[in-house]
Every structure is written in C-alpha cells, then in structure tokens.
Amino acid sequence: MNTSSPAAEPLILPSPVRIGWIGAGVMGAPMCEHLLRAGYALTVFTRTPSKAQVLLDQGARWEESPAAVAAEADVVCTMVGFPQDVRRIYLEPDGLLPQARPGQVFVDFTTSEPTLARELSSVASSKSASALDAPVSGGDVGAREGTLSIMVGGDARAFEAVRPIMSVLGRTVVYQGHAGCGQHAKLCNQITIAGTMIGVCEALLYAQKAGLDGETLLRSISSGAAGCWTLDHLAPRILKRDFEAGFFVEHFIKDMGMALDEAKRMGLLLTGLSLVRKLYVAIQANGHGRSGTHALLLALEDLSPTFLPADSSPHALSK
C-alpha cells in the first residue's frame, strides 16, 4: 500500500504572467531589462523615477507606489537596499502584503534578514499568497549579463511557478528550502566573499611591495588554485584604482552584520568575518560607503605605514 502523502497541487500562474518590479538600482535595472527583452509585461516603481526611465523607454509601465504595482501584477519582485526598506515596502498598511491576493507570488531579491523572510512568508500565507526570499550573487556584472546565482527559500510550489522568470535573470537558480533558507545561503556567500576579498587585497599589496607587475601576477594566480570570481572581476579594477561600486561597501557591512547576528544566535564565533567587517566600517567612516567592496584595499593600505610610494617602483599600483 502506498503510504506517501499526495503531492501538492502545482501553483499555476496566469499566462501571460504580469510582473511588477520595485527598485531599479545598480542591480535591479539590468535585471528588469532582461525580463523586458524576454517579452514579459513589466510594471515598475522606484523611489528615484529617473532611474526607471531606461526601462520605460524599453516598454515598461510606471506606477506611483508599490501597492499600485502589486495591484496589477501576478508576480511582484523587489530589489531594494536594506531590511528596513523591505519591511516598509511589504508590511506597512499601504505596502504589498496587506493588499495581497490569493495566488499572488512575491519575490524579494534583496539580501535581508532570514527572520524577516520567515515573517513575510507567514503573512503572505495568511492571504493565500506566497513570499519567496531569493537573494542573488554576482554583482553588477552578473546582473548585466544575466548570470546571477539565485538562492531561494519559501514555498516549493511558488518557486517552481516562478522558476522560468528567475532563469531569465540567473545562470544558477537553486531552491535552498523553507522560508529564510535563501537568505541564510546568501549570508554564507557573503562570509566567503569577505574572506576572499581580504586575501585578494593583501596579495596585491604584497605584490606591490615585492615589485611585481599586478597584471602579470594575475595571469598566473587566476589560473591556479587561488582562482576565483574576485580575482577575475575585481582585482583588475583594484589595479586601476577603480573603486566604483558593483556592490556598495555600506550594503556589504549590512550583510556582514546580519551574518554575525545570526551566528551569535547559533552560538558561532566568526572571527575572520568580524575582522573584515571592522576594516569595512573604517573605510565607510572615511567616506567610501558608496564605493565598491574591493575598496577594502584602502583600509589595508592605511594599516601599512611603510607602503611603497606610488612612484618608487615601475610596477607599483597607481595611487
């Protein structure tokens, strides 16, 4: 006798599916462009209307509030800055979830708190809707090229329903488990990046001190066991002293803080992450909160008073 429980009915979205999008910044705007090119009907809202103009030029529609976006969407996607932004957009009386409809799916691509993701899922479920936490990794390059890694938590049926949408945005789309698991996976990603970033920056400082040519060095170590995304995409920017953001320092500090808070709740001591976060707080205090995460080099330079002047070696990093 078959004692297994019956499979849950699949969640079927209307066809064609209507997508609402809130947040058109460094990451959100190129993600929206991919959806428009894929033929999806897209309605957008962003706090700075001018940021949405490139999307409107490509066929997106504008609405005056998040609630207005949700009112005409089957799937509502958000990509904003901080957990407090997520909480306000989703939970305030004029926000997304108080007006949620049965069968509607909300997808938060923001890196946020696992506890908040579980709260959003619970509130959505009470409305017979679904809320997925789906933070992404890959930075501005991955957003532009459609090669993001997307880590998803929440209702499995809702995930399967919106998987085709996510596949337009990312090369790797993985369901991690119940609500909050996507955010936990992203925090693991950020812990890894923090350790990798300090290693890459210290290696480049060492190379300069040793008189090595940075680009020649990267040709060797990028192809060996040290090879990683940070070496491929951010080390060349560091060599050019280009600290423009693909991902803001202030957002990374937020992510590391959330990881440390979660670790504390689990009884974990993450000493490496604590050190790196302190260095990032230092460069934020020096006015680099809106610089890219690879600006960690600046904090490490400040700790090296014997650092070679820029003109002391033909191979020194330009300052």
Side-chain angles (χ1 to χ4, degrees):
M1 185 174 66
N2 184 0
T3 59
S4 62
S5 59
E9 289 293 324
L11 177 62
I12 306 297
L13 293 172
S15 181
V17 64
R18 301 169 301 169
I19 300 176
W21 193 285
I22 297 163
V26 172
M27 300 289 289
M31 293 169 75
C32 286
E33 290 186 79
H34 287 299
L35 293 174
L36 288 167
R37 284 195 289 269
Y40 284 102
L42 193 67
T43 303
V44 300
F45 169 81
T46 182
R47 287 183 298 182
T48 307
S50 61
K51 290 184 177 180
Q53 189 58 52
V54 66
L55 303 176
L56 303 183
D57 292 343
Q58 296 176 58
R61 294 183 62 255
W62 170 265
E63 281 292 353
E64 294 294 333
S65 70
V69 168
E72 56 183 77
D74 307 302
V75 177
V76 182
C77 302
T78 53
M79 175 58 104
V80 294
F82 294 89
Q84 58 264 34
D85 300 318
V86 175
R87 179 173 292 278
R88 182 178 66 253
I89 287 170
Y90 276 89
L91 295 177
E92 286 194 353
D94 61 346
L96 299 176
L97 292 184
Q99 282 74 240
R101 306 187 304 274
Q104 202 168 22
V105 180
F106 299 85
V107 182
D108 184 27
F109 289 111
T110 314
T111 300
S112 185
E113 298 165 341
T115 51
L116 178 55
R118 292 194 292 272
E119 182 180 356
L120 298 185
S121 178
S122 177
V123 174
S125 180
S126 72
K127 302 274 188 175
S128 298
S130 301
L132 300 175
D133 48 296
V136 304
S137 180
D140 59 328
V141 175
R144 289 196 302 271
E145 296 180 356
T147 58
L148 294 168
S149 176
I150 306 176
M151 298 152 258
V152 188
D155 181 73
R157 296 183 313 136
F159 166 68
E160 290 299 335
V162 300
R163 186 202 288 263
I165 295 171
M166 294 184 179
S167 296
V168 173
L169 307 174
R171 180 177 294 165
T172 305
V173 181
V174 180
Y175 178 69
Q176 296 288 334
H178 58 74
C181 285
Q183 297 295 354
H184 278 303
K186 178 60 186 290
L187 293 181
C188 290
N189 182 85
Q190 302 304 73
I191 294 167
T192 304
I193 287 175
T196 303
M197 189 70 73
I198 193 170
V200 168
C201 290
E202 288 189 336
L204 293 179
L205 288 177
Y206 181 98
Q208 178 175 355
K209 189 75 170 179
L212 297 177
D213 176 72
E215 293 182 359
T216 302
L217 171 70
L218 290 182
R219 288 207 302 272
S220 291
I221 67 174
S222 295
S223 301
C228 62
W229 190 95
T230 303
L231 273 179
D232 290 341
H233 295 278
L234 297 183
R237 296 190 195 184
I238 292 172
L239 293 179
K240 297 175 183 176
R241 308 292 295 190
D242 173 9
F243 297 116
E244 287 296 312
F247 187 65
F248 293 125
V249 163
E250 62 185 27
H251 288 174
F252 198 34
I253 290 172
K254 172 261 296 183
D255 294 354
M256 290 185 285
M258 290 191 299
L260 289 168
D261 288 343
E262 292 293 330
K264 184 177 180 180
R265 276 192 279 271
M266 294 185 285
L268 293 174
L269 182 62
L270 304 180
T271 54
L273 184 64
S274 296
L275 169 62
V276 177
R277 187 176 186 275
K278 288 177 182 177
L279 294 171
Y280 273 108
V281 169
I283 59 174
Q284 182 184 41
N286 286 331
H288 291 282
R290 303 291 285 181
S291 295
T293 52
H294 52 299
L296 179 64
L297 180 88
L298 302 175
L300 296 172
E301 286 178 344
D302 288 342
L303 294 174
S304 301
T306 60
F307 190 73
L308 283 175
D311 59 357
S312 66
S313 165
H315 299 314
L317 291 172
S318 172
K319 292 204 76 174

